[in-house]
Amino acid sequence: MFPRPIQERSRSRQLMYKVALPISLIIWLLPMIAIVATAGRSLSDLNRGNYWGMPSEWAFIENFAKVFGSSSIGTYLLNSVIITLPSIAGALFLSTLAGAGLALYKFRGRFLILALFIAGNFVPFQILMIPVRQLTLDLGVYDTYWGVILFQIAFQTGFCTFFMRNFIAELPFELVEAARAEGVGEWQILVHIIVPLVRPALAALAVLQFTFIWNDFFWPLILIQSDELRPITLGLTVLKGQYISSFNLLAAGSLIAALPPVMMFFAMQKHFIAGLTLGASKG
Amino acid sequence: MRYLKTTVCAVALMLCSTSAFARDLVMNANTSDPAQKLAMEELIADFEAAYPEIDVKFNLYDHEAFKVAMRNFLVSDAPDLITWNAGNRMKVFVDLGLLEDVSDVWQAEGLHEAMPAVVSASSVEGKQYGVPYAYYAWGFYYRKDLFEQAGITSTPTTWEEFLEVGAKLNAAGITPITIGTKDLWPTAGWFDFLNMRINGGEFHAQLMDGKVAYTDERVKRVFEKWAELVSADFFVENHPGYSFQEALPFMNQGKSAMYLLAPFIVSMFPDDVREQVEWFPFPVIDPAVGIYEDAPTDSFHIPKNATNKEDARLFLAFAAQADVQTKTAATLDMLPPNINASVKDDRFAQGGFAQLGQANGIMQFYDRDTDPALAKVGMEGFQEFMQNPDRIDAILQRIEAERERIYGAL
Amino acid sequence: MTEIQVLSNSRRRTGSTFLRKHQLIIAPVAFITPAFAMFSLFVIYPIIQSIGLSFVEWQGIGPQTWVGLDNYRELLGDPVFWKALTNNVYWLVLFLLAPVLGLFIALFLNQNVFGIRLVKSLFFFPFVVSQIVVGLVFAWFYDPAFGLLATMLEPLGVKFPAILSNENWATFGIILAGLWPQTAYCMILYLTGLNSVNPEVIEAARLDGAKGWRLLVNIVLPQLRAATFIAVVVTIIGALRSFDLVAIMTGGGPYNSSNVLAYYMYDNAIFRYRMGYASAIATILFLIMDLYIAWFLMRLLKNEKGSR
């Protein structure tokens, strides 16, 4: 293990670590603390420039009540889930297949295909707005969940394929060879050998994808019109006014929106951090 | 498999049901300020009460997102109604054939007579393409108590008096004017007023239409006047780092005394500060030049591709009624375009109303009157000028180059 | 041993039906096709269309006018384009601090003490919270009149400089704000990677007397190659897409001094109604990145040949 477990160190070192950990956490989260504090300020305090001092009153309850009261935040959260989960499932499924296809077989043009998958990530995606909107119209999925889901699957497949291909290429190839020697079919190899080995990578990727898709507001903006289909990120932007922004409500809303990805991370952590050691046998 | 079939049917049924009720009225709006949002909700509720058979579906966007979304929904799956702005901003979409001619509503409701101030801003080649629900005046919001503290007894009506007020405030350790230029548009208010006061409304209109060069001597005179203020330290420091809203604390903390702005600022003063705030119009610079004012107008429009245009017309007619406009404008702290409506009884609305009443003409606003690309380059130039007045020649050349690209050489 | 040899060996041994015989050809095609088809339809095809748009003058709606290379010609003479490009280079270079910082934080957190799972989750927080709010709070850190730093330094008699309103510093102020979430991102990748480090190799090196810095550089880092790889790529993508923070913190200002290509493109497409010009900017950015991808894939290829 690296670095050396703190338990093996001297008592004073252990003490130092235990003190340093919360202090560094506080420094690291200072902007986060500021966001939380902003969520508890009144707009009148913010308009006075009181960003950092003691607020004249704490308005947490009022602000959160406003966020919940003035917008259909429950519907928005549900919509985010409806959009995010199938998108992740689709992107992970397609990219595991494609990643395996690119990592396990040698054929001409595989680097070109990989390059295309990566290249798609390097375009400033906002420029795709008009062609993609047209495409969803042609497919009849404009202003539906499916428009966003299909696009997210396709777009995220680029990065996911790159990610999965790298992980699969790092696996000990001898396992695949041995299976082939036994006459095991390629599909069976993928399902029974590759997938269990890359499960940690899939878990890590799922967390990242969850964050990306959950936080995206551009594509729902382009592809969805109806208020009742909007995800949380899009729903919250109306707290930004034409002239006047309710910074406090924006902060409160963004905290609510950030919680699901963090909880996802907390829950999935065990899977991708503990499990990854398997891939290490290659050394 | 059976399960799948049921799901498909259910989904299909849901899809049908949304379009089956012909009396759904879909409205996409950019009115996301707290007061705007409230005003729209009230208006819709009143409309639905008057027409119980119509169900308004309200999709609210924030203003910037609306600009993005609008370009998409107008050409694909258009709503029945949108909020937007009169003037050039509307004309852009009229020229593209994306907004419906609603002259019939104007005729039927007698709006030419009822809304004389906004006829031209709502018209393209004699036809009307929208119905305004509110407009507002620009002017100086200032703190009476700080003026008194600096020994100022009356508000300035001429340029000389204005300079004097600023000097006194500076002497008292108060920055005369606060402004946040991060979002650029607050600078344009200054340019508009200086240009209209120095060169008059007709020249300003020509400049907005791209018919005058930005390197013209008359335009340079505007910046000479503006530079007087910059070099005398009239403006707060570091204004490019602040949005309009983030520059307000200067005034709310008593560090700065004035803000050239529009009525939506009023709700942003904390109660104790608001008691001290009063309003005065932009001072006269050249008495020989008439009074022209910025009065941005917000309006409803029907997209060309809308499905339920009949009910949308009902809505336009409803929103144009005098009593409806009275209520909407009051919630917005703005002015009702309908002359039979009454103006809210407060000093800001009444002050602005009086000033617009005696004006020789009104304009929309820099970024609503001229080409959007030119407006962006222009306002960036204004911002740079306010930080570096000595760069004015290079700035004007840059704006002129953009004007020429759009409107052609003169 | 190369894969080719493996493949031919196994082919000789497997059965005789058509499918079996050819499954090493059929399998990759079947595996890659669905993903590639989706990706082509929704991403590659729109990219090609966008490149096509860079040769027209278009408001985003209405008629298009063919202008050939005019947009590119104008771009070359556009000072804002060059400024944005320069700023993108600053972003690219300085953003690479994120993998480094992320590695150190990951090393720091890679312990097994009480509550560490929660601590790790909290360190992850900056990455998930809305960029709009991050930008807002950093702007309030820097605010020369009411900001945290200015208020703290005031009693000491130090005047905190205006960062976001200064044409020379604004970009760096935004990059610093961007590093915060990006570091959290890289930290996760390294936390994942650190667990795959082979403990036996580490122990062996320790027995040889390697420790601290040398152990990290010579033994641990080479094993973190995959994590580093991905961290660098996502950081570069992040630097190029830097957008929300620029929009919220300065709007590209003061007078375009903190503009970046992605935002300038967006600005042209949305606020200036110049879809063609925006497409030209996107195309240039895309071409620059393609050079990078080519270099990057060549390295990938070389590394893999060496390792197997």
Side-chain angles (χ1 to χ4, degrees), chain B residues 10-24:
Chain B
V11 169
L13 214 71
M14 265 167 62
L15 288 174
C16 291
S17 65
T18 48
S19 55
F21 297 113
R23 308 223 67 178
D24 269 352

Side-chain angles (χ1 to χ4, degrees), chain B residues 230-305:
Chain B
V230 176
S231 57
D233 293 328
F234 268 48
F235 298 101
V236 292
E237 280 186 311
N238 303 318
H239 50 78
Y242 301 108
S243 66
F244 133 70
Q245 194 175 352
E246 287 165 322
L248 263 172
F250 289 106
M251 202 162 156
N252 288 338
Q253 288 192 2
K255 290 178 174 168
S256 182
M258 296 182 263
Y259 210 153
L260 175 62
L261 231 109
F264 45 80
I265 193 178
V266 174
S267 69
M268 302 296 283
F269 296 119
D271 293 337
D272 55 321
V273 176
R274 195 180 307 132
E275 281 169 24
Q276 297 297 335
V277 176
E278 299 277 343
W279 189 89
F280 69 86
F282 202 95
V284 171
I285 295 177
D286 182 349
V289 172
I291 299 292
Y292 293 87
E293 299 287 323
D294 267 344
T297 307
D298 296 337
S299 43
F300 294 115
H301 307 266
I302 304 177
K304 197 87 181 180
N305 300 330

